[in-house]
Amino acid sequence: MQVEITDVFLRDGLQDEPVIVSTAHKLEIAEALVAAGVKRIEAASFVNPKRVPQMADAAEIISSLPAVPGVTYTSLALNGKGIERAVDAGATDIQVVASASQAHSNANAGQAIEDALASLGAAVSRFPQARFFAGISTAFTCPFEGSIDPGYLLRVVRAFKDMGITDIGLADTLGTTPTDQVMASLQHVRDAEPDLTYYLHLHNAHGQALGTASAAVDSGVVRFDAALGGYGGCPFAPGAHGNIATEELVRHLHDTGHDTGIDEDRLADAVRLARDVVMHSPAAGLLDPAR
Ligand SMILES: CC(C)(COP(=O)([O-])OP(=O)([O-])OC[C@H]1O[C@@H](n2cnc3c(N)ncnc32)[C@H](O)[C@@H]1OP(=O)([O-])[O-])[C@@H](O)C(=O)NCCC(=O)NCCSC(=O)C[C@@](C)(O)CC(=O)[O-]
């Protein structure tokens, strides 16, 4: 089966590292990903730079990325202002994100789920020229509320559907949700909204993300987020662990007979570059827990 991977190192991978990676280094990593055959790259998020200084250069990144046929660069936004900034910078593919848990929405987006969705919905309708897709944080487990009722998840799925969005990513923000629970919640929303396309964004606290990805592929999921080197984590979800590593997911998919279009050797070059850049970038001074 052909499986598509969105590498999210430049966004999710860097947002929780205590370093500021230069715009030039980010662009170099994007180039290395393209050279490896990665076709979707989440390059930046348009959030409040006072809260996430690692993403302060989002507009510069999006406007500087080289156009490559067949390659899509995606951006992330959590509110209407984020969408506006992304569109102004020239973003064409924007992931809008909301949480399935109220406590995580308050911590992450600074507002209740309903308010975050209203802000996103109003902006989505203003920019028909952009392609929107949606991510749902804490889709299965929340650091503050524990297990998420699939009914709550479905409400957020439907709110995005009402905005006209048909691609929905379900995120295991902490990376602790057992495979069976991920699959049960996925099935719940699929049964209720079978015409939407679902993808998974897996973190990997317990080493079970590859098993979950396998079960999901077997059930027909053909798109995953992953990050070079397994970096990543939401700074506003205490305990969030790194993403499933792109190189491990690609190897696993190839070993199990699937195709990703990604060259493992060239990908290893990108992983080395990412590690090097994280290790040698200046400290961000982000140790203030109140941010
Ligand atoms: C959501 C916001 C932006 C709301 O932002 P806010 O600060 O809560 O909003 P506000 O309306 O109270 O405004 C306060 C100030 O922020 C400004 N502001 C307001 N919005 C923006 C914006 N978009 N871009 C730039 N500036 C903005 C606004 O203009 C104002 O500026 P001031 O008047 O003080 O000078 C904020 O709370 C924030 O930046 N949160 C950080 C969230 C974040 O980046 N989380 C990590 C990404 S999501 C994630 O990792 C999960 C995911 C996707 O990977 C899946 C998973 O694993 O769960």
Side-chain angles (χ1 to χ4, degrees):
M1 195 186 296
Q2 185 71 33
V3 179
E4 184 172 49
I5 294 185
T6 304
D7 187 277
V8 298
F9 171 81
L10 293 170
R11 196 277 304 169
D12 198 332
L14 291 181
Q15 71 185 8
D16 202 27
E17 288 299 318
V19 295
I20 296 287
V21 171
S22 70
T23 306
H25 278 137
K26 290 182 184 179
L27 293 171
E28 215 182 313
I29 290 168
E31 256 177 54
L33 284 165
V34 171
V38 177
K39 294 282 188 287
R40 278 179 80 86
I41 298 171
E42 191 159 278
S45 67
F46 288 85
V47 293
N48 184 345
K50 287 188 190 133
R51 298 194 75 197
V52 189
Q54 295 92 332
M55 296 293 123
D57 61 350
E60 201 182 340
I61 290 283
I62 291 301
S63 57
S64 308
L65 285 163
V68 180
V71 173
T72 301
Y73 302 110
T74 71
S75 304
L76 184 133
L78 279 85
N79 65 358
K81 178 161 183 170
I83 293 176
E84 279 171 30
R85 287 181 56 219
V87 171
D88 282 352
T92 53
D93 294 76
I94 302 173
Q95 173 171 213
V96 289
V97 172
S99 305
S101 94
Q102 204 59 264
H104 183 256
S105 183
N106 287 327
N108 196 41
Q111 52 189 345
I113 300 170
E114 298 69 24
D115 297 332
L117 287 168
S119 169
L120 290 170
V124 164
S125 63
R126 284 177 42 221
F127 298 108
Q129 72 274 33
R131 282 182 292 270
F132 289 99
F133 59 108
I136 305 181
S137 277
T138 58
F140 317 107
T141 307
C142 168
F144 311 106
E145 296 180 12
S147 271
I148 296 300
D149 184 325
Y152 292 152
L153 175 61
L154 180 58
R155 270 193 246 168
V156 183
V157 166
R158 287 191 163 142
F160 282 128
K161 183 184 174 201
D162 289 346
M163 295 177 204
I165 293 175
T166 55
D167 276 19
I168 312 266
L170 308 180
D172 185 19
T173 305
L174 296 181
T176 56
T177 312
T179 299
D180 288 354
Q181 188 190 335
V182 171
M183 295 310 296
S185 293
L186 172 62
Q187 200 51 49
H188 183 84
V189 294
R190 262 183 175 159
D191 288 345
E193 293 295 347
D195 296 335
L196 301 177
T197 300
Y198 299 95
Y199 66 95
L200 289 180
H201 174 103
L202 300 171
H203 288 261
N204 195 21
H206 295 166
Q208 64 198 358
L210 280 182
T212 303
S214 276
V217 170
D218 290 347
S219 83
V221 174
V222 292
R223 196 167 117 202
F224 294 88
D225 288 351
L228 287 176
Y231 286 96
C234 175
F236 309 100
H241 204 274
N243 282 277
I244 189 169
T246 305
E247 62 277 17
E248 287 176 17
L249 180 58
V250 167
R251 188 187 321 126
H252 179 75
L253 289 167
H254 292 174
D255 287 352
T256 50
H258 302 291
D259 188 17
T260 63
I262 296 174
D263 179 312
E264 291 185 48
D265 292 333
R266 307 292 297 267
L267 189 63
D269 294 339
V271 173
R272 273 191 291 276
L273 185 58
R275 288 209 175 109
D276 193 50
V277 154
V278 168
M279 278 191 298
H280 296 108
S281 292
L286 287 175
L287 299 176
D288 175 9
R291 83 186 147 108

